[in-house]
Amino acid sequence: MSTFMTDDRQPRRAAEPHDDFRRSVMFTVLGTLLPGLGLIAGKRKVLGTTILATFLLLVHILVIGVLVNRRGAMAMVLNPDFLRGVGVVLGVGMVLWVGVILITHLGLRPRTLLPSQRALGSALVGGLAFLVAAPLAVGAVYSYSSADSVSSVFKSQRDSTSATKPDFTPHNEKNPWEGKPRVNVLLLGGDSNDGQREGVRTDTVIVASIDTVTGNTTLISLPRNTARMPFPKNSKLHELYPNGFTNGDGNNQEYALNAMYGNVPAEAGADVLGKTDNVGADVLKLSVGEATGLKLDYYVLLDIEGFRRLINALGGITVNINQPVAVGGSTDKGIPPDRYLPVGPNQHLNGADAMWFARGRFGSDDFERMGRQRCAIDAIINQANPQTMVSRYEAIAREGKNLIITDIPQEALPAFVDLSLKVKDGKRRSLTFVSGKNGFVSSNPDFDRVRERVKAAVGETSKQEKKPAPPPGSSSAPQSPSSPSKESSADPSASSSSSGGDAPADTESGENTQDACAYHPV
């Protein structure tokens, strides 16, 4: 009988180490998902409970904060100081979390292990540590990259000075654009290197007028050789140039739109507008705003080299090419291009080819080039989706910090992130001014006519979607989802007409950007 009992119990004692090892593996994994749980199972209840409670509290705060106050959370993650703090916390958290995994496994595993179990346990701890450490390390790097980029590109309102920038003071935390139907941003493409301001020629001048409710956007392009650019009557520049920026010769390129960024400050003085961080940009905001009848809120300047590198950081852009686009070459000097971008739908371009797509001039005119620039902007909007921004964030942040100059303040970034998502899903129209068409002459523009056409084009993207007609017998008429005030509709910079009426017969309201950039080979 005793022999039987001994023989009966021996297998059970031999199996116990295997059971203990499986238990240690299970709680090591669970303790990785819920830090502290494995320590509680290993009878370190005080330490384990403290770690688990802290972890759950942090997760709760994070989830609730994002769901309840998304804009507040976004404001924090776009704050350089907060981002640097997050980087430190993630680094420390990575070390502590890996430490918890190791302590949990060592405390739970049996004293006696087979060689295979020891190897499996080591591999398990190493794998779990990597799964935890890798994302936290990437998050810490992204936090520091973001902090560096945000602080390099976007200044705080208290640290910046501008003659044209309005203060960003949202009156409604949930809707920071409340009371501001439109935001008008001046997009400038210069030919300098690495964002340096000296010698900049802004060959690309586009106004993006954005409806803050729908995200519908009008892109307004002015030719680089536009002469006699006006200034507001209450501006010091109007006193100096009552007939616009000109020496009387509308064909003198030193007085054209693309030369104003550098030439006006050089001629009128760098302090002509008072204290400002970028007098050239302020000059263009005032002048282009007066020419188009829009109050320009902010500007973004990107040099050609920066454009190439930014596109590469995005992973390229996809455009339709309707006629061959020259790469290199000079029409004036008779130098042929190196090659051509081929005709075809959905052509994926890297940064260098995208740059030539946007600026190629050999054998084409400014009208064609400005059209391609609008399509390039449209492609960037489409490419800058959440998946791309997450997967390529560090590269985009790294390139952007040295290549973009803007007066958009840090305080406005959360609101602009919200607005950019609306722009991506909204409708886009474009209006291009071409010398010799629709009464526009670059050497002597009729700016009253320009403002009429801009107002009509902006009005098209301000119209709200009409609701279906009410069913028969219904006493309620359909209401516009957003009825503008009389004050806002009277101001061209804030026009948000929802009447649905057609533009006046003598104006051009622009074209749908999707249609203009579709594949229709010439």
Side-chain angles (χ1 to χ4, degrees):
M1 182 69 177
S2 61
T3 303
F4 174 79
M5 290 299 294
T6 301
D7 293 341
D8 183 58
R9 291 173 181 173
Q10 185 62 35
R12 293 182 184 177
R13 285 197 297 268
E16 285 176 0
H18 294 282
D19 294 337
D20 290 343
F21 180 73
R22 284 194 292 267
R23 181 174 179 272
S24 71
V25 168
M26 179 183 69
F27 276 103
T28 299
V29 174
L30 292 177
T32 301
L33 300 176
L34 292 173
L37 186 62
L39 294 174
I40 296 174
K43 298 182 179 181
R44 298 187 179 186
K45 293 184 179 180
V46 175
L47 178 61
T49 301
T50 302
I51 293 175
L52 180 60
T54 303
F55 176 78
L56 293 177
L57 178 62
L58 291 175
V59 171
H60 177 77
I61 293 174
L62 179 63
V63 172
I64 296 299
V66 172
L67 293 179
V68 174
N69 187 6
R70 185 182 65 170
R71 187 177 180 278
M74 201 174 297
M76 287 192 295
V77 300
L78 291 171
N79 182 297
D81 293 334
F82 178 80
L83 288 170
R84 293 187 183 97
V86 168
V88 173
V89 170
L90 290 176
V92 173
M94 175 182 66
V95 174
L96 293 177
W97 203 334
V98 170
V100 169
I101 295 172
L102 180 60
I103 294 172
T104 299
H105 183 70
L106 292 177
L108 288 171
R109 73 179 186 178
R111 292 180 179 275
T112 303
L113 289 172
L114 297 173
S116 60
Q117 291 174 331
R118 189 177 299 277
L120 180 59
S122 298
L124 175 67
V125 171
L128 293 174
F130 176 79
L131 290 177
V132 167
L136 291 178
V138 170
V141 172
Y142 278 16
S143 295
Y144 275 102
S145 297
S146 299
D148 191 23
S149 297
V150 171
S151 58
S152 297
V153 177
F154 305 97
K155 293 183 178 181
S156 172
Q157 287 188 137
R158 65 179 180 272
D159 299 326
S160 61
T161 306
S162 172
T164 58
K165 183 183 65 179
D167 287 333
F168 182 81
T169 308
H171 301 290
N172 186 333
E173 289 296 326
K174 293 184 178 179
N175 180 16
W177 301 115
E178 184 178 56
K180 189 171 182 60
R182 302 196 74 84
V183 173
N184 301 309
V185 181
L186 179 62
L187 307 177
L188 302 172
D191 60 359
S192 67
N193 292 319
D194 295 325
Q196 298 300 314
R197 300 176 187 177
E198 292 77 9
V200 170
R201 290 258 173 173
T202 54
D203 285 346
T204 300
V205 178
I206 299 175
V207 175
S209 183
I210 307 167
D211 188 304
T212 58
V213 175
T214 64
N216 293 342
T217 303
T218 302
L219 298 175
I220 304 155
S221 301
L222 289 173
R224 60 194 175 97
N225 63 339
T226 303
R228 309 178 194 277
M229 288 293 295
F231 296 103
K233 291 184 178 179
N234 62 350
S235 168
K236 175 68 174 178
L237 291 169
H238 180 75
E239 298 178 15
L240 298 174
Y241 305 105
N243 299 315
F245 185 59
T246 180
N247 68 342
D249 179 4
N251 294 310
N252 188 328
Q253 293 306 297
E254 293 303 310
Y255 288 84
L257 172 59
N258 70 333
M260 293 178 68
Y261 186 92
N263 288 359
V264 171
E267 187 173 287
D271 60 348
V272 64
L273 296 176
K275 189 176 181 180
T276 178
D277 294 332
N278 192 339
V279 61
D282 282 337
V283 165
L284 282 172
K285 284 174 68 177
L286 289 171
S287 185
V288 175
E290 181 68 13
T292 58
L294 299 174
K295 171 67 171 63
L296 301 189
D297 300 299
Y298 305 101
Y299 80 90
V300 177
L301 171 62
L302 180 68
D303 71 275
I304 295 299
E305 174 63 15
F307 179 83
R308 179 186 69 79
R309 289 162 62 177
L310 185 61
I311 295 300
N312 280 336
L314 283 168
I317 58 173
T318 300
V319 298
N320 297 307
I321 301 180
N322 293 307
Q323 60 187 64
V325 178
V327 176
S330 172
T331 303
D332 296 338
K333 298 179 181 179
I335 301 174
D338 300 326
R339 58 187 175 89
Y340 285 87
L341 301 179
V343 173
N346 300 321
Q347 299 292 300
H348 193 74
L349 307 180
N350 60 23
D353 285 348
M355 179 182 70
W356 285 109
F357 175 80
R359 72 178 303 204
R361 299 174 186 168
F362 186 90
S364 65
D365 55 26
D366 272 352
F367 173 68
E368 294 172 356
R369 188 172 63 90
M370 287 189 294
R372 295 196 303 269
Q373 289 171 354
R374 298 196 315 275
C375 293
I377 292 174
D378 198 62
I380 291 172
I381 293 173
N382 292 329
Q383 180 68 9
N385 53 64
Q387 295 86 350
T388 298
M389 297 303 290
V390 170
S391 63
R392 295 179 173 272
Y393 182 81
E394 186 181 6
I396 295 169
R398 183 178 61 250
E399 297 297 349
K401 69 178 182 180
N402 296 319
L403 304 171
I404 296 173
I405 302 174
T406 183
D407 61 352
I408 296 175
Q410 289 180 13
E411 292 82 354
L413 290 181
F416 267 97
V417 171
D418 276 344
L419 187 60
S420 68
L421 296 176
K422 293 181 181 180
V423 170
K424 183 172 178 58
D425 295 331
K427 297 179 180 179
R428 295 185 285 276
R429 297 181 67 82
S430 59
L431 175 63
T432 303
F433 290 92
V434 184
S435 190
K437 294 186 178 182
N438 294 296
F440 183 83
V441 179
S442 294
S443 60
N444 190 22
D446 180 350
F447 287 109
D448 288 334
R449 171 68 172 159
V450 168
R451 287 185 280 269
E452 288 178 4
R453 293 175 62 191
V454 169
K455 185 176 182 179
V458 168
E460 284 298 307
T461 52
S462 293
K463 293 176 182 177
Q464 304 295 328
E465 296 288 342
K466 291 184 177 180
K467 290 186 177 181
S474 172
S475 60
S476 61
Q479 299 294 319
S480 169
S482 177
S483 300
S485 65
K486 292 181 181 180
E487 289 79 9
S488 65
S489 62
D491 180 2
S493 69
S495 174
S496 56
S497 169
S498 58
S499 64
D502 295 329
D506 62 341
T507 65
E508 179 185 328
S509 61
E511 58 184 338
N512 184 291
T513 302
Q514 185 176 4
D515 295 339
C517 298
Y519 182 58
H520 43 75
V522 177

